[in-house]
Amino acid sequence: MIKINLLSPVDKLNIKWEKINRLVIYNYAIIISIQVFFVFVLLITIAYMDIENKKLGRQLGNMQLGSETREINSIKKEVIKYNNQLDDLFGIQKRQLYWTKILDDFSQIVSSGIKINNISIEPESAEILKKNKTGKISSQNNTGNFKVVITGVSKTMGDLLNFENNLKNSEIFINFNIDPKNYDGENFRYALSIKRENVVLN
């Protein structure tokens, strides 16, 4: 079989360049398509990163806000605890007896012929009747005052009477009552009271 090539050299050269041009254009098209694809992927990635960044920023903001809220709540609790402790201390201070005042007054009451064997001071309570379903019941309620019992010995009756007179005129001790048994011998016993407001710290 014999092939006859009737194309001139110029036509052959043109055909060859057309093939090269088509190949170059095809390769350029592929390269541009790849570049467009990568740009598209890059834009999607940037958008996704931006969304994630904003989400992370919100989460960090919420965490920071939560941390600040917890810190504020912790500070509030500490302040409340501190205020409660102060209130307790002030309450204890207000309930404390002013022993200096009691001892100062008592030292002026006791004369030279009197020997004190014992003095007891304890909160005074009163019995209160309350009604319930089964009937009446009694309970002890603190009156806020103090019960005082003083026992001792007197050398003479004059010393005892002088001591009683001092107890009557005391600014601290109240509710003085004469007990006839105190006159039977040297020993004496007196049951008195102290008002809380007279002997507590202000």
Side-chain angles (χ1 to χ4, degrees), residues 4-59:
I4 299 174
N5 192 349
L6 300 177
L7 296 176
S8 65
V10 175
D11 291 336
K12 289 180 181 180
L13 183 61
N14 289 335
I15 292 172
K16 183 178 180 181
W17 278 111
E18 285 180 3
K19 288 181 180 180
I20 293 172
N21 287 336
R22 284 198 299 269
L23 184 60
V24 170
I25 292 171
Y26 176 76
N27 289 334
Y28 271 129
I30 292 176
I31 292 171
I32 291 172
S33 299
I34 293 172
Q35 288 179 344
V36 170
F37 174 77
F38 277 113
V39 169
F40 178 73
V41 171
L42 181 62
L43 291 176
I44 292 178
T45 303
I46 292 173
Y48 175 77
M49 294 296 292
D50 184 59
I51 294 172
E52 290 297 319
N53 186 38
K54 290 180 179 178
K55 186 186 295 184
L56 182 60
R58 287 194 298 269
Q59 290 177 351

Side-chain angles (χ1 to χ4, degrees), residues 85-127:
Q85 290 176 344
L86 283 180
D87 292 340
D88 292 340
L89 289 175
F90 285 137
I92 291 173
Q93 184 181 15
K94 289 181 180 179
R95 292 192 297 270
Q96 290 301 305
L97 291 179
Y98 192 2
W99 291 105
T100 304
K101 190 173 183 179
I102 294 175
L103 295 175
D104 182 61
D105 187 78
F106 192 66
S107 65
Q108 297 177 16
I109 290 173
V110 180
S111 57
S112 58
I114 297 295
K115 178 184 177 183
I116 302 298
N117 293 330
N118 184 55
I119 176 171
S120 66
I121 301 176
E122 59 184 25
E124 188 177 60
S125 59
E127 189 174 23

